[in-house]
Amino acid sequence: MASLKALKILDLTRVAPNPNSPHSAAEFSLPLTFFDAFWIKFPPVERVFFYQLTDSNPHHFISVILPKLKHSLSLTLLHYLPLAGSIIWPDDAPKPSIHYTQNDAVSLIVAESNADFHRLSGDGIRESVELRSLVPELLTCDDKASLISLQITFFPNQGFCLGVTNHHAIMDGMSVLMFMKSWAYICKQAEENPALLPELTPLFDRTVIRDPAGLDMVYLKNWSDFFNSGRTNKHLSLKVMQNLGVNPNSARATFKLTSEDVKILKQRVLSIINKVERDDQMNPKKQQASVMEENGIGIVAEKISDIIKGIDEKELYEGGEKRLTKSWDMEQGAQVIGVAGSIRFEVYGVDFGWGRPKKVEIVSTDRTGAIALAESREGNGVEIGVVLSPHEFDVFASLFVSGLQNL
């Protein structure tokens, strides 16, 4: 096992939206939608953004970088006020809500590490636990849950990283990246209260989300039935799950597909789909054989294609009441593979003024087992983050390399 380097906590603080701004609010609430209720118990999403600054000594970090990050965070929270609040569920309320008061703030840990910055921000195989100390815990209890927690970790003469932990029910990947890009944008501005760009301005109007089937209450009842909390006169606990049964002694690594690899893979998938469709029309029994000859890629490609083509507004709600419970009723031995992130998030565009990130990684895949996707830093391919048991990596790496050679 790799030796874990010491992490020194420099400061534990809370950053509030700038109270001197005319945009600040005293108090407000936002109802949860069915999109939120679906994810109310899932483990938080954890990311780290590594920034390489080899000439950054402790004095420069404490006197220049840190104050600028904290002040711009306070200004950014004015545009994202709900993030400073909490999810609460009063006894007399039918469902939880996001509630913000003027005394609310976001938890921020400032730390210093003597670990190898280049190793942690690299692509090679590392034990998953090595990144755990770089992301903060999200505070949740039975009646209250934070929405986001932050950590800034300084690596002397190497750089720093930002650890972001967010509640999955409140922020999806795109929302988190909008917030991070807004923070970075404001950090680079000279004026005191800069306006956000239109594409970075969040919308909090929940009336635009229709829920004719009442799926929000269905999902909350699903969760309550699943956990069978048995709490007298109390609602479902707002504590989130810590993991989804993933091996705690896992390792992680990043594999890459170049833009040429992606192009060839797309061409192959399209050719397989066309072949399957022709075989299906000529001889339905031949379809299975032809797909098996292509190592199953056709099955996956065709199913995804059919799902995308079939989605409309009716499909979004039809059968929705069973969508959550279906994920719990998988056949024994069935393997569920999730995907975290997206190549469209442009995670490497989060520049606070000291350059683009050296590496962005989704840490929470060691709790969910999901495969992480991101565009490559160079913009010419795809990064694939994988979490496996240590003994599985040699096999996976070999299959990955041989698979690319046979495209």
Side-chain angles (χ1 to χ4, degrees), residues 13-240:
T13 187
R14 289 166 58 79
V15 178
N18 193 321
N20 301 320
S21 171
H23 301 295
S24 60
E27 185 173 344
F28 68 85
S29 293
L30 290 175
L32 296 193
T33 70
F34 70 94
F35 291 115
D36 309 322
F38 186 95
W39 299 99
I40 194 72
K41 296 289 286 185
F42 270 76
V45 181
E46 301 159 313
R47 278 183 177 83
V48 284
F49 296 75
F50 289 95
Y51 294 88
Q52 184 172 347
L53 293 172
T54 55
D55 58 348
S56 177
N57 56 52
H59 175 73
H60 183 257
F61 175 75
I62 294 297
S63 63
V64 178
I65 295 178
L66 184 58
K68 195 167 185 179
L69 286 172
K70 292 171 81 171
H71 182 62
S72 57
L73 172 60
S74 178
L75 295 176
T76 306
L77 288 173
L78 288 170
H79 302 277
Y80 289 82
L81 280 175
L83 297 189
S86 304
I87 302 175
I88 62 172
W89 197 342
D91 288 342
D92 59 348
K95 65 179 183 178
S97 63
I98 301 170
H99 189 68
Y100 168 80
T101 69
Q102 205 164 26
N103 295 323
D104 288 334
V106 170
S107 171
L108 173 65
I109 297 173
V110 180
E112 181 178 317
S113 173
N114 61 357
D116 186 342
F117 177 89
H118 299 287
R119 170 180 165 78
L120 295 181
S121 60
D123 296 333
I125 299 175
R126 294 144 294 153
E127 295 179 14
S128 294
V129 70
E130 295 184 65
L131 294 186
R132 283 262 126 236
S133 64
L134 304 180
V135 289
E137 292 292 327
L138 191 73
L139 300 179
T140 66
C141 61
D142 288 337
D143 302 303
K144 192 174 183 179
S146 297
L147 275 60
I148 193 169
S149 295
L150 301 169
Q151 179 172 328
I152 303 172
T153 304
F154 172 58
F155 298 79
N157 302 313
Q158 299 183 82
F160 69 93
C161 79
L162 297 178
V164 184
T165 302
N166 67 273
H167 202 298
H168 205 327
I170 306 305
M171 301 179 77
D172 60 11
M174 183 61 76
S175 301
V176 174
L177 266 299
M178 275 185 63
F179 168 73
M180 293 299 293
K181 290 175 182 178
S182 298
W183 184 9
Y185 174 79
I186 288 178
C187 189
K188 291 189 294 185
Q189 304 308 305
E191 61 267 34
E192 176 59 23
N193 286 297
L196 283 180
L197 298 173
E199 62 268 25
L200 296 178
T201 303
L203 174 68
F204 300 126
D205 182 6
R206 298 307 183 94
T207 63
V208 301
I209 301 175
R210 299 194 306 109
D211 186 9
L215 295 180
D216 56 350
M217 303 305 295
V218 171
Y219 293 152
L220 291 172
K221 185 178 186 306
N222 287 161
W223 282 118
S224 184
D225 292 344
F226 180 78
F227 283 97
N228 191 24
S229 61
R231 301 169 66 221
T232 306
N233 298 323
K234 285 283 186 177
H235 301 296
L236 172 74
S237 170
L238 293 178
K239 286 183 179 179
V240 295

Side-chain angles (χ1 to χ4, degrees), residues 314-331:
K314 179 181 178 182
E315 182 72 19
L316 178 63
Y317 300 104
E318 197 171 73
E321 69 280 359
K322 298 179 181 178
R323 192 168 292 130
L324 183 57
T325 54
K326 278 183 178 180
S327 64
W328 302 332
D329 297 333
M330 301 293 293
E331 295 181 12

Side-chain angles (χ1 to χ4, degrees), residues 269-270 272-273 296-307:
V269 169
L270 288 173
I272 292 173
I273 291 177
I297 293 180
I299 293 178
V300 177
E302 186 180 32
K303 284 185 177 295
I304 293 175
S305 177
D306 289 344
I307 290 172

Side-chain angles (χ1 to χ4, degrees), residues 260-277:
E260 186 62 25
D261 293 332
V262 174
K263 180 180 178 181
I264 295 173
L265 190 58
K266 283 181 179 179
Q267 292 172 343
R268 185 178 179 189
V269 169
L270 288 173
S271 68
I272 292 173
I273 291 177
N274 292 333
K275 183 177 181 180
V276 170
E277 290 176 346

